[in-house]
């Protein structure tokens, strides 16, 4: 029977390859290994690239490539020649995958391909477009079903999420708790555009603002900004009961009462709450004489009326007030009576004052062992120690710090503020800078009060009539004291 290859001219085969060519014409069945991964559970699906380890017989000459089931790609199909060129390495490796039988099988396959009759050239498909085998159809269907399922968008990362707007006070609150009424400040709530229509603070800035018809506003001067910042420090709000600050010294004549009045005026002038100064001198105190306001009542009247005082209205009738809103409670002028003013009496006055005032200053007596000193120190949140500029006065001040440290008030001594008060207009031969350095090594802060004739006169003090340097020194002292007072304090109970 004539063969379909009759009439086709074959190339001559060398004699040595005759047996090899004859054996190559016979169909050669080879073994090829395919790997498939078996899912671990029913919920898992097989992917197209998963294979099962098995041995199947594949005849390279009779292998039939099923038509592709994929949809045409949106781009234009490549030419057969280009596709063949791109897929030739993959096709040749897939159609003529060599078994692991050595080089003899490889030579036979190459000879069979050379002697095979020419066939019509068909476009070679890319390996990605070749359809799966029938055994893989179920896996392909499940894979296409998974691709067709709607994809749930990934949840946005925390960085991509829009943060909730947070107020200024909430950002400044460490614990992120609820805001109080003091958080509603004018700087936070008022529109910044309104500041353009407010006259700046400063001589040159205000003059330029007026001359330009309110068109040029340079803002506050550097000096004005520093003054406002100092006021902000002094006005630090407190919560809880009153804060007690005694003014003490071991030597008379250094200006303890003067410093008490200056500190009280600076606090009352800058703060919105109430400030009171108590005269707790066992002898005849002069605290009441240094302010402009007058009152006929003393600490003894407060003790006698302790059960009648039910509010600030009753208490305010017993004190004197000056222009800065500083209240002063005088001591009894009778020496025979004031000697009986002791720790228990001070405790009653301190408890009543703490109900109506935020800060209570105490002008204590001279020395550290008088009748009221123990109760005064036990109530203290901070302490102010007054020193003169002479050597003996400085030594006694340093000994006062040592007394506090050795009598169980070491923390109070460390948090103390030492005031170097200059009472003379003459230039001192004592190096005040060295005094300040010494006290700075032992306490938290050191302040200086310069000489002022209004203070040296011994009469009533008007805060506005003092020199600018004196008022600034008093405000710096007040800021230093407030800086060391805790914001939170437990309620004070009656002694």
């Amino acid at each position: 029977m004539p063969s379909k290859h009759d009439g086709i001219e074959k190339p001559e085969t060398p004699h040595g390859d005759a047996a090899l060519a004859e054996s190559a014409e016979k169909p050669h069945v080879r073994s090829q290994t395919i790997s498939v991964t078996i899912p671990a559970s029913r919920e898992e699906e097989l992917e197209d690239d998963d294979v099962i380890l098995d041995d199947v017989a594949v005849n390279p000459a009779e292998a039939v490539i099923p038509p592709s089931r994929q949809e045409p790609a949106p781009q234009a199909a490549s030419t057969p020649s280009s596709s063949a060129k791109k897929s030739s390495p993959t096709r040749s490796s897939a159609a003529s995958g060599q078994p692991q039988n050595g080089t003899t099988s490889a030579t036979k396959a190459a000879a069979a391909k050379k002697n095979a009759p020419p066939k019509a050239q068909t476009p070679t498909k890319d390996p990605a477009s070749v359809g799966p085998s029938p055994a893989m159809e179920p896996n392909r269907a499940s894979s296409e079903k998974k691709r067709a399922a709607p994809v749930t968008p990934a949840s946005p990362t925390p960085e991509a999420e829009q943060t909730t707007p947070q107020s200024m006070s909430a950002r400044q609150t460490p614990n992120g708790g609820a805001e109080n009424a003091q958080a509603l400040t004018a700087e936070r709530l008022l529109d910044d555009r309104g500041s353009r229509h407010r006259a700046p603070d400063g001589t040159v800035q205000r003059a330029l603002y007026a001359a330009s018809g309110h068109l040029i506003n340079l803002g506050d001067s550097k000096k004005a900004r520093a003054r406002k910042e100092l006021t902000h420090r002094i006005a630090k709000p407190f919560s809880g009961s009153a804060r007690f600050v005694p003014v003490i010294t071991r030597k008379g004549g250094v200006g303890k009462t003067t410093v008490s009045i200056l500190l009280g005026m600076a606090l009352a002038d800058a703060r919105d709450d109430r400030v009171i100064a108590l005269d707790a001198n066992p002898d005849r105190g002069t605290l009441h004489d240094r302010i402009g306001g007058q009152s006929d009542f003393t600490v003894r009247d407060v003790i006698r009326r302790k059960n009648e005082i039910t509010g600030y209205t009753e208490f305010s009738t017993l004190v004197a007030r000056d222009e800065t809103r500083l209240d002063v409670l005088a001591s009894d002028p009778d020496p025979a009576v004031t000697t009986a003013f002791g720790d228990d009496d001070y405790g009653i006055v301190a408890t009543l004052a703490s109900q109506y005032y935020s800060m209570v200053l105490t002008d204590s007596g001279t020395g550290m062992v008088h009748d009221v000193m123990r109760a005064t120190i036990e109530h203290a949140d901070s302490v102010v120690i007054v020193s003169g500029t002479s050597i003996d006065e400085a030594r006694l001040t340093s000994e006062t710090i040592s007394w506090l440290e050795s009598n169980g008030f070491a923390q109070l001594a460390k948090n103390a503020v030492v005031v170097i008060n200059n009472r003379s207009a003459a230039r001192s031969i004592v190096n005040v800078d060295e005094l300040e350095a010494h006290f700075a090594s032992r306490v938290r802060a050191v302040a200086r009060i310069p000489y002022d004739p209004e203070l040296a006169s011994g009469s009533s003090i008007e805060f506005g009539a003092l020199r600018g340097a004196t008022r600034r020194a008093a405000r710096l002292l007040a800021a230093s004291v407030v800086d060391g007072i805790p914001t939170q304090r437990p309620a004070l109970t009656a002694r």
Side-chain angles (χ1 to χ4, degrees):
M1 180 177 179
S3 174
K4 60 180 180 179
H5 301 298
D6 293 343
I8 299 177
E9 189 174 354
K10 299 182 180 179
E12 294 182 1
T13 303
H15 180 71
D17 295 336
L20 181 61
E22 183 178 359
S23 61
E25 291 180 357
K26 298 180 181 180
H28 178 73
V29 179
R30 62 183 180 82
S31 176
Q32 186 175 2
T33 301
I34 304 176
S35 299
V36 176
T37 302
I38 302 300
S41 62
R42 294 184 178 180
E43 288 77 5
E44 298 183 6
E45 299 288 346
L46 288 174
E47 300 294 344
D48 291 345
D49 54 350
D50 295 337
V51 293
I52 302 176
L53 292 176
D54 197 2
D55 290 337
V56 298
V58 178
N59 188 351
E62 297 179 358
V64 179
I65 301 175
S68 175
R69 300 173 61 89
Q70 294 183 347
E71 297 179 2
Q75 298 180 354
S78 58
T79 59
S81 59
S82 62
S83 300
K85 291 180 180 179
K86 293 179 181 179
S87 60
S88 58
T90 307
R91 173 95 183 257
S92 60
S93 61
S96 59
Q98 301 300 329
Q100 299 177 358
N101 299 330
T103 57
T104 305
S105 299
T107 307
K108 291 180 180 181
K113 183 176 179 181
K114 182 177 180 181
N115 297 331
K119 297 182 180 179
Q121 186 175 4
T122 57
T124 304
K125 298 183 179 292
D126 190 75
S129 63
V130 177
S133 62
M136 299 296 294
E137 283 298 329
N139 298 334
R140 176 178 179 82
S142 61
S143 178
E144 292 179 354
K145 183 177 180 181
K146 290 178 61 178
R147 294 194 190 99
V151 180
T152 304
S155 59
T157 59
E159 293 79 1
E161 295 180 357
Q162 184 178 4
T163 57
T164 305
Q166 196 175 26
S167 65
M168 180 189 303
S169 59
R171 291 193 298 268
Q172 295 175 352
T173 303
N175 57 2
E179 300 179 354
N180 53 22
Q182 296 173 350
L184 301 177
T185 60
E187 292 79 3
R188 174 186 175 187
L189 300 178
L190 296 181
D191 193 347
D192 292 340
R193 293 174 294 180
S195 62
R196 304 175 185 175
H197 304 289
R198 293 194 296 267
D201 194 352
T203 304
V204 177
Q205 288 78 0
R206 187 179 293 272
L208 182 59
Y209 180 75
S212 63
H214 300 178
L215 296 178
I216 302 177
N217 191 340
L218 300 179
D220 297 338
S221 64
K222 183 178 179 180
K223 184 177 180 180
R225 292 194 301 269
R227 184 177 67 254
K228 292 180 179 180
E229 176 63 25
L230 189 59
T231 302
H232 180 72
R233 289 174 56 192
I234 300 173
K236 182 178 74 172
F238 298 125
S239 60
S241 60
R243 304 307 195 270
F244 287 81
V245 181
V247 182
I248 62 176
T249 184
R250 291 194 67 181
K251 186 179 187 305
V254 296
K256 173 180 58 65
T257 300
T258 301
V259 171
S260 300
I261 287 293
L262 285 178
L263 175 59
M265 289 181 173
L267 290 170
D269 185 61
R271 298 182 64 85
D272 295 331
D273 48 18
R274 303 188 187 111
V275 181
I276 188 174
L278 305 179
D279 194 342
N281 199 322
D283 300 325
R284 172 69 167 87
T286 60
L287 184 68
H288 177 268
D289 299 334
R290 304 305 301 270
I291 65 171
Q294 297 296 324
S295 176
D296 296 331
F297 301 98
T298 66
V299 292
R300 185 61 56 185
D301 296 306
V302 174
I303 296 173
R304 283 196 296 261
R305 301 183 184 183
K306 62 180 179 179
N307 296 326
E308 302 174 7
I309 299 175
T310 58
Y312 176 71
T313 302
E314 291 83 5
F315 193 92
S316 63
T317 59
L318 306 177
V319 299
R321 174 171 291 188
D322 80 326
E323 59 180 359
T324 62
R325 300 181 303 107
L326 172 66
D327 290 350
V328 175
L329 184 59
S331 62
D332 201 309
D334 187 357
V337 176
T338 55
T339 53
F341 187 76
D343 289 352
D344 295 338
D345 297 332
Y346 179 84
I348 295 174
V349 175
T351 302
L352 287 174
S354 66
Q355 298 177 15
Y356 313 118
Y357 295 90
S358 296
M359 296 195 68
V360 179
L361 307 180
T362 303
D363 181 19
S364 62
T366 302
M368 302 299 295
V369 293
H370 56 77
D371 295 339
V372 192
M373 179 55 66
R374 173 64 62 173
T376 301
I377 297 300
E378 289 178 352
H379 281 84
D381 294 283
S382 181
V383 64
V384 175
I385 308 174
V386 183
S387 172
T389 55
S390 64
I391 296 178
D392 60 335
E393 293 169 344
R395 286 177 177 173
L396 288 175
T397 303
S398 185
E399 291 176 2
T400 303
I401 302 173
S402 301
W403 184 92
L404 292 172
E405 294 172 345
S406 60
N407 284 271
F409 303 103
Q411 185 60 34
L412 192 63
K414 184 178 180 180
N415 193 42
V417 178
V418 171
V419 179
I420 303 176
N421 184 31
N422 187 5
R423 307 180 314 280
S424 174
R427 185 178 180 274
S428 176
I429 61 175
V430 178
N431 190 340
V432 182
D433 293 338
E434 289 297 326
L435 290 180
E436 182 175 354
H438 168 75
F439 293 131
S441 66
R442 305 196 64 184
V443 298
R444 180 176 55 83
V446 180
R448 296 189 190 184
I449 301 296
Y451 170 79
D452 194 308
E454 292 290 333
L455 301 178
S457 64
S459 61
S460 62
I461 301 173
E462 294 184 8
F463 194 69
L466 299 174
R467 293 178 177 177
T470 306
R471 291 197 305 271
R472 174 171 173 76
R475 287 165 55 83
L476 286 173
L477 170 60
S480 299
V481 171
V482 172
D483 289 343
I485 297 178
T487 303
Q488 301 290 335
R489 186 173 188 269
L492 180 66
T493 56
R495 296 177 57 83

